[in-house]
Amino acid sequence: MVIEARPSRRVTGSEAARIAKQMYGLDATATPLSGEYDDNFRLETASGARYVLKIMRPGCDRAFVDLQIEALHRLAELPVPRVVDSVKETGDGRLVWLLQWIPGRLLTEVRPLTNQVSASLGRLLGKIDHALEGWNRPDAHRELKWDLARAPWIRDYLRYLPRNRPLVERVLDRYEAEVAPVLGQLPQSVIHGDANDHNVVVNGNEIALIDFSDLHYTATVCELAIACAYAACGSGDPLGSVAQVAGGYRETHPLEDRELQALLPLILTRLAVSVTNSAYLKTTHPAEYTSDLYLSVHETPAWIALEKLAAVHPRLGRYALRGVPTTLPIPKDAAPLLENIDLRKEPYIVFDLSVGSLMLGADPRAMEMPALAETLAGKMREARVRVGIGRYNEARLLYSSPLFGTGHPTEERRTIHLGIDLFAQPGTPVCAPLDATVHAFRNNQRHLDYGPVVILRHETGGNTFFTLYGHLSLNSLEDLCIDQPIAKGQRIGWIGAPPENGGWIPHLHFQIILDLLDLDCDFPGVAFASQRELWLALSPDPSALAGIAATPQEPSKTETLASRRALLGRNLSVSYRDPLKIVRGWMQWLYDETGRAFLDLYNNVPLVGHSHPRVVEAVERQIALLNTNTRYLHDNVVQYAARLTALMPDPLRVCYFLNSASEANELALRLARAHVGREDVIVLEHAYHGHTNTLIDISPYKFDGPGGRGRKRWVRVAPLPDPLRRDDPSAGLEYARAAGSLIDGPITFIAESLPSVGGQVVFPPGYLAEIYAQVRASGGVSIADEVQVGFGRLGRWRWGFEMQGVVPDIVVLGKPMGNGFPLAGVVTTTEIAASFDNGMEFFSTYGGNPVACAAGLAVLDVLEQEGLQANARVVGDHLMSALRGIMMSALRATDPPSIVDVRGAGLFLGIELRDGDLASDAVHRLRHRGILAGTDGPRHNVIKIRPPLVVTREDADFFATTLTDVLATNGHE
Ligand code: PMP
């Protein structure tokens, strides 16, 4: 194989612009695009028209360009670039051509790939291959290093490999044994041949393929293998990613069995070619290697994907790519699994042990022994049953041993239960449901958490399948021997007691296995959710065989999304490109329906932690006794008002309670208007104060945004102080004067003490003092919206206005007040309260109800007793300095720098990035690494951090490291 050297001199942007003018009469700026051999540019004219200018490598054959042009014509119906103008030749003999620019972002920038994107890439490639079928040209028969039919060229280059050469050799051996002999007989056609993520453009749900310079005639399935190899790179679950792309491809281009058989070895081979090519160029052309992101960026992910995929059992790989073939005919007349307990006739109880189990709640102590054992036994006693069932295909957080996944809490753990549990008395005899042969057993007490385990082999109707019995007692296995026949109904053991049963509550784990994958007693009983379908297919629902009703399934995420779309207003927003379904929250952690844990850095509502047991208990106790409106006397509301006002400076002494911050801001406006006697209001640019009619009118973020109806006559919008000038001594006065110039009579001024939607803004010194003074001088009042920042989040300050050394006339409180239980409030002066008391009754049915106030009181207790404001200061300062460190390195490393500013106080922080795309990609990637954050600011380029105040230094460090990584890899995950 001749590895073509790359051209040593690349065409510059200004040369390209000149060529575009000369050849095509285009006045355009030219920006270089990546390309291995040819020089590609994006052209942009003054009117905004965009093109791709391709200047081919010196000496490039005309036929090579014609080949691509013909392919693009054949694919004209599909999302590929159109050819805009004819091929030309420059003075020094280089071929030039002009293509349509496809708007969107390269796949590499939207990584990690969602399942939907992977599948639609597969579908598009299937359509492309379908359209190219039957087309052949002599010049498509190329000697290309990427042609998988020529892969063995790497054999001579293995000496360059820096690591794991034997692995690459094994892959090549497998290729030569399994693929090479059949590849020539598989369907052949011209393929695109390089669906890597620099050649795929994503625009919303649309996906397009570009760069046809690797077109070649080969086995068609190589198209899919190449795409799969790239999808596997950087994926946490390469097998799952490959299965998604292949699944999509098969929808539009069916594959023969022989092609599917060759697919996994071809994917491995492609990865092997990739790492060998990189290793070779790194040694022989180091400058070229390091300067080419395209090469260096894929190398490590390619190694990781290669190592992970090569470790997959070949049959498991085939099942992932083409489905598990066997469907099991379940014999109807199986014998009961537990002796003398026929669950077809006898009642049993089904437990919910899922991540979102209401029976267990979020407190992890409920899942520990002996608490869990007592809960289950209690429920069984109550229901007067001998058997409790643990469900099949249930995502559980019950498995804590390292066998189920180690490392950081956000890393994926095994959660999906592949069998059923039959909870019953220890010593209950376990019997074979069908005629069988003993296939394997093991009596290691802690083996895989199964404890002593038996596997039986069954042959029915030409099918072989296996059943697994876990958590038996040790003496179960004494009399068994391999290949011993077992008759239907014959005892094979007894339910074991802890600790000999693996340390679990006495029960039988029962599982069907269609293919043991040579794992025998090591076959998993719990799978990773990312491979759920595959393992469930290998271990189908054993309920029928056990004589119980099939497990009803909870709605999948897709179903929930569809129901939400059908039943709820469409503009009820949902976060993330691939929405999250969250079913459990504990302190700073949120868990999705598969049991994946996320560090919640975004939610300011659960101030003292999700499901804090003190708040939960307070609410439970009160709601079990009384919840009613405030027309009757009750001590909770007055106690809460006393505690709250004690935390406020004078003269803020009078409280009103409501159910949401929007209601509270509404009421605050009514109070202000009643006192001031005029409706006019000054607000800050980009502000958001709530969702009611009047609040939309005072929220420029809404009235100036999509669907907004513009500014009302009575609203004045003052400039939002530039957060980058927060330390500028003259800025406070300057901005306050600008706001003050809008005062034309007694007026109400409303602002968040640190504007959040505005981009986590910290005001310059003196700003609020000056504007508050001017407003008061006009006979007006100032409202501080403390909905996001109040209650100690800022660390050094309990309230945001304290940071500015001012006391507002009205304070609005919301979100975190009840830690998730609806509670909001307004605190004001006796004078303003008196103005409001004008004869019209004030009443909010549920504002200040006994349950809400019980939650509020518990929140204040926890804040105090757990020192959470101090924690916000310590962890916030720590995180701030880590983030400032990252910003300084970013300033040195990238031009323009990825981080522009880091600001905020305590656990209310903003990380301003270069642009909104970078911020939204970072948030998307953080989510895939298990961290939830959000974006805000007028340009949506500020990452917003406002976690529950219980986050730790370790969490802060984890976030800082992950963010560094996410920004450094910038699309190359
Ligand atoms: N004020 C501010 C500053 C807010 O951020 C919000 C909610 N994001 C509100 C008021 C309104 O709160 P709610 O949606 O709870 O009514």
Side-chain angles (χ1 to χ4, degrees):
M1 174 67 50
V2 185
I3 298 189
E4 197 177 339
R6 289 144 174 254
S8 51
R9 200 187 82 79
R10 312 298 300 227
V11 177
T12 64
S14 51
E15 283 168 330
R18 213 168 38 245
I19 292 171
K21 172 82 182 150
Q22 255 173 18
M23 305 280 158
Y24 300 107
L26 285 174
D27 272 314
T29 52
T31 318
L33 302 167
S34 70
E36 204 178 356
Y37 295 106
D38 308 316
D39 292 306
N40 302 323
F41 294 89
R42 187 183 74 205
L43 298 180
E44 184 159 0
T45 66
S47 65
R50 287 175 161 190
Y51 305 91
V52 174
L53 180 72
K54 290 181 86 71
I55 305 171
M56 305 306 285
R57 65 201 81 166
C60 171
D61 199 346
R62 170 71 194 241
F64 174 57
V65 179
D66 289 342
L67 171 71
Q68 294 182 59
I69 292 179
E70 189 178 340
L72 292 172
H73 284 317
R74 282 178 177 269
L75 299 173
E77 303 293 312
L78 294 172
V80 299
R82 313 266 156 275
V83 182
V84 176
D85 210 327
S86 55
V87 184
K88 313 264 175 167
E89 201 171 322
T90 61
D92 57 358
R94 289 182 72 167
L95 297 173
V96 181
W97 49 310
L98 193 65
L99 290 171
Q100 172 204 26
W101 169 263
I102 297 196
R105 307 177 66 201
L106 294 181
L107 195 53
T108 182
E109 293 165 33
V110 299
R111 278 191 164 255
L113 306 187
T114 59
N115 286 349
Q116 295 89 311
V117 171
S118 304
S120 45
L121 172 61
R123 279 192 289 275
L124 173 58
L125 291 172
K127 286 185 197 163
I128 286 176
D129 289 351
H130 185 67
L132 293 181
E133 244 165 29
W135 175 54
N136 197 352
R137 273 175 67 126
D139 29 46
H141 295 251
R142 298 168 62 192
E143 196 188 323
L144 197 66
K145 66 181 173 183
W146 300 116
D147 179 359
L148 283 170
R150 299 173 193 266
W153 69 264
I154 61 170
R155 194 70 83 192
D156 297 335
Y157 292 79
L158 299 183
R159 63 181 182 281
Y160 292 102
L161 288 174
R163 70 196 230 199
N164 221 342
R165 192 168 141 184
L167 170 65
V168 177
E169 265 166 338
R170 273 201 308 280
V171 168
L172 263 188
D173 292 346
R174 187 166 162 198
Y175 171 91
E176 272 165 358
E178 293 177 31
V179 179
V182 295
L183 200 61
Q185 295 148 33
L186 299 181
Q188 311 279 311
S189 63
V190 179
I191 61 166
H192 173 275
D194 193 19
N196 80 67
D197 35 6
H198 286 79
N199 288 345
V200 178
V201 179
V202 185
N203 197 351
N205 293 329
E206 305 293 313
I207 204 160
L209 193 64
I210 58 171
D211 190 355
F212 282 67
S213 59
D214 281 310
L215 278 174
H216 60 286
Y217 186 88
T218 192
T220 314
V221 68
C222 295
E223 182 90 290
L224 175 58
I226 292 164
C228 284
Y230 282 108
C233 289
S235 163
D237 172 25
L239 188 60
S241 303
V242 158
Q244 289 297 333
V245 180
Y249 187 93
R250 289 167 59 206
E251 282 176 35
T252 52
H253 192 283
L255 290 172
E256 292 178 12
D257 210 47
R258 292 179 308 162
E259 293 178 293
L260 281 164
Q261 194 97 1
L263 185 53
L264 189 58
L266 279 169
I267 297 169
L268 291 168
T269 306
R270 171 60 198 231
L271 290 165
V273 173
S274 199
V275 294
T276 311
N277 182 57
S278 294
Y280 166 72
L281 286 174
K282 200 176 192 170
T283 320
T284 56
H285 301 71
E288 189 177 299
Y289 171 86
T290 29
S291 68
D292 194 333
L293 214 62
Y294 181 90
L295 269 183
S296 49
V297 146
H298 275 122
E299 193 181 2
T300 309
W303 270 114
I304 296 171
L306 178 60
E307 282 160 0
K308 282 194 181 172
L309 283 179
V312 170
H313 190 289
R315 290 206 298 280
L316 184 67
R318 242 175 282 147
Y319 296 146
L321 296 171
R322 63 181 206 211
V324 178
T326 327
T327 47
L328 185 72
I330 305 267
K332 294 222 166 20
D333 54 345
L337 282 171
L338 302 180
E339 198 171 270
N340 297 326
I341 305 184
D342 187 349
L343 295 173
R344 288 180 187 87
K345 299 184 185 128
E346 168 160 345
Y348 55 87
I349 176 172
V350 179
F351 293 121
D352 179 357
L353 301 174
S354 70
V355 184
S357 165
L358 289 168
M359 178 181 85
L360 296 177
D363 190 335
R365 284 172 300 187
M367 297 192 295
E368 284 166 12
M369 302 300 165
L372 181 59
E374 278 160 20
T375 308
L376 302 192
K379 297 267 173 204
M380 284 164 66
R381 266 198 310 277
E382 239 171 66
R384 296 167 192 265
V385 291
R386 288 196 286 173
V387 177
I389 301 292
R391 299 184 296 175
Y392 168 73
N393 185 16
E394 181 173 70
R396 302 171 165 184
L397 289 175
L398 299 178
Y399 309 102
S400 51
S401 92
L403 277 169
F404 295 91
T406 45
H408 195 268
T410 54
E411 271 171 30
E412 192 183 14
R413 303 183 63 80
R414 291 178 183 270
T415 55
I416 309 298
H417 194 227
L418 297 174
I420 54 168
D421 300 310
L422 288 92
F423 295 92
Q425 282 299 313
T428 308
V430 174
C431 306
L434 303 167
D435 288 339
T437 310
V438 176
H439 181 79
F441 56 85
R442 199 172 289 172
N443 60 1
N444 180 341
Q445 294 184 25
R446 295 210 60 87
H447 173 68
L448 277 187
D449 273 16
Y450 282 145
V453 58
V454 173
I455 295 181
L456 298 183
R457 189 172 64 239
H458 309 272
E459 325 270 347
T460 55
N463 279 316
T464 301
F465 70 96
F466 305 86
T467 46
L468 180 148
Y469 307 78
H471 304 284
L472 299 177
S473 72
L474 276 178
N475 59 0
S476 302
L477 310 171
E478 276 165 11
D479 301 331
L480 291 181
C481 53
I482 301 289
D483 287 337
Q484 171 189 344
I486 302 278
K488 179 169 122 183
Q490 188 180 330
R491 274 186 193 180
I492 53 166
W494 292 265
I495 289 185
E500 66 164 30
N501 72 352
W504 251 76
I505 305 166
H507 76 288
L508 168 69
H509 171 94
F510 176 61
Q511 182 174 342
I512 297 177
I513 299 166
L514 300 187
D515 184 338
L516 272 169
L517 301 171
D518 306 319
L519 290 167
D520 288 358
C521 292
D522 290 336
F523 197 92
V526 185
F528 289 107
S530 55
Q531 298 184 352
R532 188 174 195 157
E533 300 311 324
L534 178 58
W535 290 94
L536 289 177
L538 282 174
S539 277
D541 190 347
S543 303
L545 199 51
I548 61 169
T551 310
Q553 293 301 310
E554 271 137 35
S556 69
K557 192 161 83 173
T558 322
E559 288 165 340
T560 306
L561 183 63
S563 308
R564 177 173 159 128
R565 292 227 163 105
L567 297 167
L568 308 185
R570 280 283 178 136
N571 52 352
L572 175 66
S573 70
V574 43
S575 295
Y576 296 110
R577 295 169 195 166
D578 175 17
L580 282 171
K581 182 170 176 182
I582 296 292
V583 297
R584 178 196 195 94
W586 178 251
M587 296 298 135
Q588 67 272 46
W589 301 102
L590 284 174
Y591 296 84
D592 74 5
E593 80 290 3
T594 70
R596 171 104 201 257
F598 295 90
L599 175 62
D600 182 6
L601 296 186
Y602 187 67
N603 270 281
N604 52 356
V605 174
L607 186 75
V608 298
H610 290 279
S611 315
H612 193 291
R614 295 278 303 272
V615 183
V616 170
E617 195 194 344
V619 168
E620 277 176 357
R621 282 158 65 118
Q622 183 58 49
I623 204 161
L625 178 67
L626 171 75
N627 201 19
T628 185
N629 62 54
T630 39
R631 285 197 202 275
Y632 310 105
L633 300 184
H634 197 280
D635 286 330
N636 283 11
V637 69
V638 282
Q639 262 177 28
Y640 186 67
R643 294 275 299 273
L644 188 62
T645 46
L647 300 176
M648 291 274 171
D650 274 330
L652 297 168
R653 285 291 158 260
V654 185
C655 301
Y656 300 84
F657 294 112
L658 306 117
N659 308 297
S660 71
S662 293
E663 279 183 75
N665 269 326
E666 273 285 341
L667 181 67
L669 272 187
R670 283 180 64 197
L671 288 168
R673 285 169 168 175
H675 190 70
V676 176
R678 194 162 166 258
E679 65 176 358
D680 301 57
V681 179
I682 298 179
V683 297
L684 295 186
E685 282 171 320
H686 313 298
Y688 176 69
H689 294 290
H691 63 79
T692 63
N693 281 299
T694 322
L695 298 181
I696 296 294
D697 287 344
I698 62 159
S699 298
Y701 166 69
K702 291 286 180 197
F703 70 64
D704 273 345
R709 286 154 164 251
R711 186 177 61 83
K712 288 273 164 28
R713 182 186 39 75
W714 49 271
V715 177
R716 325 257 183 287
V717 181
L720 177 68
D722 179 351
L724 298 179
R725 293 186 62 196
R726 63 187 171 275
D727 296 324
D728 176 348
S730 60
L733 206 57
E734 207 178 291
Y735 280 104
R737 289 212 173 117
S741 71
L742 302 171
I743 300 176
D744 55 354
I747 204 148
T748 298
F749 172 79
I750 179 165
E752 280 185 272
S753 306
L754 285 88
S756 183
V757 173
Q760 307 288 88
V761 176
V762 179
F763 289 141
Y767 174 67
L768 284 183
E770 177 62 24
I771 183 67
Y772 278 15
Q774 291 192 36
V775 167
R776 265 181 210 138
S778 79
V781 298
S782 293
I783 305 174
D785 182 333
E786 290 273 336
V787 169
Q788 298 226 19
V789 294
F791 289 100
R793 169 166 300 284
L794 301 174
R796 283 183 179 73
W797 304 274
R798 176 176 286 117
W799 309 114
F801 55 78
E802 289 172 340
M803 197 172 168
Q804 286 270 304
V806 292
V807 178
D809 304 297
I810 301 173
V811 176
V812 175
L813 304 169
K815 297 192 182 209
M817 244 176 141
N819 207 52
F821 196 93
L823 174 59
V826 176
V827 188
T828 189
T829 64
T830 35
E831 286 75 28
I832 294 175
S835 307
F836 183 55
D837 185 13
N838 58 3
M840 184 191 285
E841 180 200 278
F842 165 70
F843 178 63
S844 153
T845 304
Y846 263 81
N849 67 68
V851 178
C853 291
L857 285 163
V859 169
L860 295 182
D861 287 344
V862 176
L863 273 173
E864 213 173 282
Q865 286 158 21
E866 296 186 10
L868 293 183
Q869 188 177 336
N871 192 58
R873 177 171 51 77
V874 174
V875 176
D877 285 356
H878 177 73
L879 182 54
M880 173 76 99
S881 66
L883 294 173
R884 291 242 157 97
I886 299 175
M887 180 175 77
M888 295 321 288
S889 332
L891 278 176
R892 284 191 296 272
T894 43
D895 185 26
S898 49
I899 303 186
V900 177
D901 189 26
V902 175
R903 55 178 174 259
L907 288 170
F908 182 81
L909 299 175
I911 306 156
E912 182 169 341
L913 299 190
R914 189 174 59 223
D915 57 56
D917 280 349
L918 196 59
S920 112
D921 286 343
V923 163
H924 169 69
R925 280 185 212 120
L926 285 168
R927 168 255 161 96
H928 282 276
R929 302 281 194 96
I931 297 177
L932 304 183
T935 56
D936 238 325
R939 296 194 297 129
H940 307 285
N941 62 333
V942 181
I943 299 183
K944 180 149 131 175
I945 302 297
R946 35 168 217 190
L949 304 190
V950 289
V951 287
T952 61
R953 281 172 79 101
E954 289 72 44
D955 299 331
D957 290 339
F958 171 60
F959 169 59
T961 334
T962 313
L963 181 70
T964 312
D965 219 26
V966 155
L967 292 176
T969 46
N970 186 19
H972 304 297
E973 293 243 312

